[in-house]
Amino acid sequence: MSDILVTVSDLEKTYKTDFETLTILRNLNLEIPVGTKVAVVGESGSGKSTFLNILGGLDSATFGTVRCGPYNLSSLNEEKLAEYRSHFLGLIFQFHYLLKDFTALENVFFPALMAGVPLNEARQKAEKLLADVSLSERASHLPSQLSGGERQRVAVARALINDPQLILADEPTGNLDPSNSMMIGDLLFSMADRYNKTLVLVTHDMKLAAKADIVYTIRDGCLEERK
């Protein structure tokens, strides 16, 4: 039996206003073995991104526990959360969030520098990752000089620079045309396989979700495995 990397127990997320209490997620229980590729689907507003943000330490649960590797997210202070996001996670979003004044290469190696990796080592790792996503010839280009698909390929490479154990991807193809969407989807799963990463992907694209080992639907705040 594979080791479990992510354990979600009795997770609930509630928002309170002056007028009502809105429960977005309720009684979520989930175990994700190391190396597993998981897709989470659901209607817009169902709580998919909220769930991913909780896994990423970008939001907190109202109730329940989330353990990712050695980290119990509910008990981490800001310093430990920053360590978790820097060293344990690779994050990919619908928008690439590349630094506009940095080249593709610099965007990829910058998180490694922030994590304390020496410049030469960070650059070498970034060059290899850009080669892996077929962008070596575009390494010196600024984001404004890259296509949408190329920018998202840089974002995939950047997510891997600190050798994370867990990759979280929130609608990574949502801003792309169909051909680029297919290419980025294939790339994301092939890179996760190549580097033996655990992947949790939120998407509305059922063709992309079908590439995953397990697909879950969030419906009425609950998590259901699709058979």
Side-chain angles (χ1 to χ4, degrees):
M1 182 176 178
S2 298
D3 292 335
I4 301 300
L5 187 71
V6 177
T7 302
V8 177
S9 303
D10 302 324
L11 176 67
E12 185 171 298
K13 181 63 178 179
T14 300
Y15 294 100
K16 292 186 178 181
T17 70
D18 292 338
F19 306 104
E20 64 178 344
T21 298
L22 187 62
T23 300
I24 303 297
L25 302 171
R26 68 183 80 237
N27 194 34
L28 263 61
N29 291 277
L30 175 68
E31 289 187 340
I32 303 176
V34 171
T36 303
K37 285 75 179 173
V38 173
V40 180
V41 300
E43 295 181 356
S44 179
S46 63
K48 303 187 302 295
S49 291
T50 298
F51 175 59
L52 206 71
N53 286 340
I54 291 172
L55 289 185
L58 303 171
D59 199 353
S60 57
T62 306
F63 182 80
T65 59
V66 178
R67 294 182 180 275
C68 296
Y71 297 94
N72 181 348
L73 300 194
S74 60
S75 66
L76 300 183
N77 59 28
E78 284 303 317
E79 182 180 355
K80 281 293 185 181
L81 273 174
E83 174 190 305
Y84 168 69
R85 289 191 291 261
S86 176
H87 295 280
F88 192 86
L89 285 185
L91 294 168
I92 303 167
F93 299 98
Q94 183 171 345
F95 186 71
H96 54 77
Y97 292 114
L98 300 180
L99 299 170
K100 65 183 180 66
D101 296 324
F102 284 40
T103 66
L105 181 65
E106 290 166 342
N107 266 285
V108 175
F109 72 59
F110 184 70
L113 289 183
M114 296 296 292
V117 177
L119 175 59
N120 284 343
E121 181 182 342
R123 179 184 290 273
Q124 289 174 5
K125 291 176 69 175
E127 288 172 346
K128 182 180 186 306
L129 285 167
L130 282 178
D132 287 342
V133 299
S134 303
L135 282 180
S136 292
E137 295 181 356
R138 310 287 276 169
S140 62
H141 287 61
L142 297 172
S144 61
Q145 299 170 311
L146 302 173
S147 70
E150 287 172 338
R151 288 193 288 265
Q152 202 64 331
R153 281 150 66 188
V154 174
V156 171
R158 179 184 58 188
L160 288 161
I161 189 67
N162 285 332
D163 195 24
Q165 294 188 50
L166 176 63
I167 298 174
L168 303 180
D170 189 0
E171 297 282 8
T173 64
N175 279 338
L176 302 174
D177 60 64
S179 62
N180 272 313
S181 292
M182 184 176 297
M183 180 268 294
I184 290 296
D186 288 343
L187 176 67
L188 186 57
F189 278 90
S190 67
M191 292 290 278
D193 280 336
R194 180 180 302 181
Y195 288 98
N196 192 31
K197 302 303 179 188
T198 305
L199 172 66
V200 180
L201 165 80
V202 160
T203 184
H204 65 274
D205 184 342
M206 294 309 299
K207 288 183 179 179
L208 179 58
K211 298 177 183 293
D213 301 317
I214 307 171
V215 181
Y216 291 97
T217 301
I218 295 182
R219 183 179 291 113
D220 298 326
C222 298
L223 200 64
E224 306 169 1
E225 184 176 347
R226 293 174 68 97
K227 302 298 185 183

